[in-house]
Amino acid sequence: MLKAGFKWMFLIIGTMVGAGYASGRELWQFFGHESGLAILLFAIMFGVCCYVILSISYDQQSTHYVPVLRIIVGKHLTSLYDFLILFYLFTTTIIMMAGSGATWQAFRHSYWFGIAALCIPLVLAFVWNINGILSLNSIILPLLIGGLLYVLVLFTWQEDLSLLSHIHEQTNWVSAFPFTALNILPLIAVLGAVGKHVKKKGEIWIASVGSAAVLGIISFIYNNSLIHISEEILLYEIPLFAILKQYPYKMFIFISFLLWIALFTTALSGVLGLITRIQEKIQVPLWLLALVTVVIMIPFTSFGFATLIEYLYPLYGLLNLYILSAILLYPIANRYKDDLRY
């Protein structure tokens, strides 16, 4: 049960930790100064959302997200949010592909070579279906989390930063809601596809609490480090590189590799959510659906990484506030229905 719980935990973290998060851009856009309470609220709400979504998925034994979505938002809004999820997964996967192109371009390679470097293993991963995706996540996610934590803890220690120096300043707590909401749609899409593979309820507890704790701790340390260099962040498209400016070039290479892993895992989750939904209508192998989907996405990567994040992410955060409310209220509403039955 413990091993399976960690498997789902890594799937959740892989869905959440994309290039926007790992680079620091997403955190700085929503948090920044006076946000300790906001990050705590995010961790709590995120854990509750993971538990509710996985529980519904497990109860429905679902293989795609629509049955989960129907229970959360109701029959009338399902079509709207079904379209929104498909659009979200499509655009965010394009963002990850564009990010891969930009990453390789920074090392004097072709932009299109960088996109191919992400797309080829992305399609190959689906040859082994969902079990292959889970196994891949369990290998590369610990590397990503460990590497990011190592850099942040090292920076905190070398700069002698206090993690509790601004504990009394918490005016930005409201930002927890749009930030959590931003990450709800991919969670529904991905966790809705694995309900049939969850064997015990205990796995859901491990995955929900574990992912919330890990992301809460990393977010708090990361945000604290970004506050320390807040005056320099405007000079960097990727705030994490502002933290690394005094480190050796080898560290820059290592972090660039970690950012690429974050791009890959989020693209993997996005394509998984998309093609499991499509497979309900078209009964063909997952790898073939992945190939067709990726080929369709490639022309859209020309819009660029930073532009896509700047305009799409805040919009999704606002649109998702309703579905976040529905998920957070679900345990209460469901308990009330159960009480009425008796």
Side-chain angles (χ1 to χ4, degrees), residues 99-111:
S100 180
T103 302
W104 284 89
Q105 202 171 33
F107 290 97
R108 302 181 186 276
H109 289 281
S110 162
Y111 179 80

Side-chain angles (χ1 to χ4, degrees), residues 303-317:
F303 286 109
F305 176 61
T307 306
L308 287 165
I309 283 185
E310 182 181 355
Y311 292 104
L312 288 177
Y313 275 22
L315 175 64
Y316 286 138

Side-chain angles (χ1 to χ4, degrees), residues 102-288:
T103 302
W104 284 89
Q105 202 171 33
F107 290 97
R108 302 181 186 276
H109 289 281
S110 162
Y111 179 80
W112 298 108
F113 176 85
I115 289 174
L118 183 95
C119 293
I120 292 171
L122 187 62
V123 173
L124 290 175
F126 286 95
V127 172
W128 294 276
N129 292 322
I130 290 178
N131 287 330
I133 306 300
L134 295 173
S135 299
L136 194 61
N137 262 332
S138 65
I139 295 170
I140 60 180
L141 257 298
L143 176 65
L144 173 60
I145 297 164
L148 194 56
L149 261 178
Y150 169 75
V151 171
L152 295 173
V153 170
L154 182 65
F155 181 77
T156 301
W157 177 68
Q158 290 185 342
E159 296 292 320
D160 196 26
L161 303 183
S162 171
L163 295 175
L164 302 175
S165 58
H166 300 283
I167 199 70
H168 57 287
E169 301 168 358
Q170 303 296 341
T171 57
N172 194 36
W173 62 272
V174 178
S175 62
F177 295 94
F179 183 74
T180 310
L182 170 66
N183 297 286
I184 290 302
L185 289 187
L187 274 181
I188 293 173
V190 173
L191 298 182
V194 299
K196 195 174 180 180
H197 301 273
V198 179
K199 303 302 179 187
K200 296 179 181 178
K201 275 277 189 178
E203 297 173 22
I204 299 173
W205 277 106
I206 294 167
S208 304
V209 175
S211 58
V214 169
L215 289 170
I217 291 167
I218 293 176
S219 299
F220 184 74
I221 298 172
Y222 206 158
N223 189 64
N224 196 63
S225 300
L226 293 175
I227 290 171
H228 183 67
I229 56 163
S230 57
E231 295 179 359
E232 302 170 47
I233 287 179
L234 291 175
L235 304 175
Y236 292 83
E237 186 176 5
I238 296 177
L240 184 56
F241 288 158
I243 292 174
L244 295 169
K245 66 175 184 175
Q246 296 178 347
Y247 288 87
Y249 186 68
K250 289 181 180 178
M251 183 68 85
F252 177 82
I253 298 284
F254 174 63
I255 289 302
S256 297
F257 175 65
L258 289 183
L259 288 175
W260 187 87
I261 289 177
L263 289 166
F264 180 74
T265 55
T266 304
L268 199 63
S269 298
V271 174
L272 174 65
L274 268 174
I275 64 178
T276 50
R277 174 72 178 97
I278 296 169
Q279 198 181 38
E280 183 200 15
K281 307 289 184 184
I282 308 171
Q283 295 297 318
V284 297
L286 284 178
W287 70 266
L288 184 57

